[in-house]
Amino acid sequence: MTIQVRPVTTDDWFACTRLEVSEEQKKTFPAPVVYWLAESRFVTDFQPMAIYNDSDLVGFAVYSDQVHDAGDYWLPALMIDSKYQGRGYGKDALLALVQWMQKALDCKRILIGHRPENLVANALYESSGFQRISEELIDGEIVQALECN
């Protein structure tokens, strides 16, 4: 398994719109990929990324390349298509995104949020080194941070 993250291009943007989470997950990840692609055309600091396992498109993510507060950068979206879940792609994709962001940005921390009921996301982020930074919810989400080295 070789997970790679790549900027979405004219060659794969439409295939990205076909990616979906499971019906159950749509309660905690309600915005479809097409929404994130559209938003990234207007919120210019949002950078959409395609997630590949070798040549198979397996997921999608968005990171912000604009610094927020004192060296913090956001990772507002990460999803693995329902057909590819349960294979470790989420963790490998998250680690690949962190490496991409650390290389591309001079970040001090990477922030990621999830809804409180999304226990799978919580476990994934914690197992990848993210730690909850506040007991208060921000826009209805738990926010976790990873210190960049």
Side-chain angles (χ1 to χ4, degrees):
M1 170 170 67
T2 305
I3 293 293
Q4 299 173 343
V5 294
R6 305 178 200 157
V8 172
T9 67
T10 56
D11 294 328
D12 60 9
W13 76 268
F14 186 73
C16 287
T17 68
R18 302 299 221 197
L19 298 169
E20 289 188 321
V21 295
S22 69
E23 284 302 316
E24 180 180 305
Q25 291 171 318
K26 288 180 182 175
K27 296 173 189 153
T28 57
F29 193 89
V33 171
V34 70
Y35 168 87
W36 289 104
L37 287 170
E39 187 173 28
S40 71
R41 302 311 289 168
F42 298 99
V43 180
T44 57
D45 63 294
F46 278 12
Q47 304 304 317
M49 302 292 285
I51 301 168
Y52 284 88
N53 176 42
D54 296 321
S55 62
D56 295 329
L57 178 63
V58 300
F60 178 81
V62 176
Y63 75 91
S64 172
D65 65 4
Q66 182 177 13
V67 68
H68 177 79
D69 290 335
D72 295 343
Y73 288 84
W74 279 92
L75 183 55
L78 170 65
M79 63 84 73
I80 300 297
D81 186 83
S82 61
K83 295 185 299 276
Y84 296 101
Q85 292 180 5
R87 302 180 192 185
Y89 296 162
K91 185 164 189 168
D92 288 348
L94 181 57
L95 295 175
L97 283 161
V98 165
Q99 289 173 351
W100 178 282
M101 291 174 72
Q102 288 175 327
K103 185 176 177 183
L105 310 167
D106 184 27
C107 61
K108 298 204 180 351
R109 290 193 311 178
I110 296 173
L111 305 178
I112 195 165
H114 65 86
R115 290 192 167 75
E117 62 274 14
N118 192 343
L119 302 178
V120 172
N122 185 68
L124 170 63
Y125 304 154
E126 285 183 354
S127 72
S128 300
F130 284 80
Q131 297 178 340
R132 188 171 179 162
I133 61 172
S134 172
E135 290 303 312
E136 292 181 34
L137 299 181
I138 299 174
D139 292 332
E141 293 190 334
I142 293 170
V143 175
Q144 295 183 340
L146 177 70
E147 299 292 328
C148 296
N149 295 332

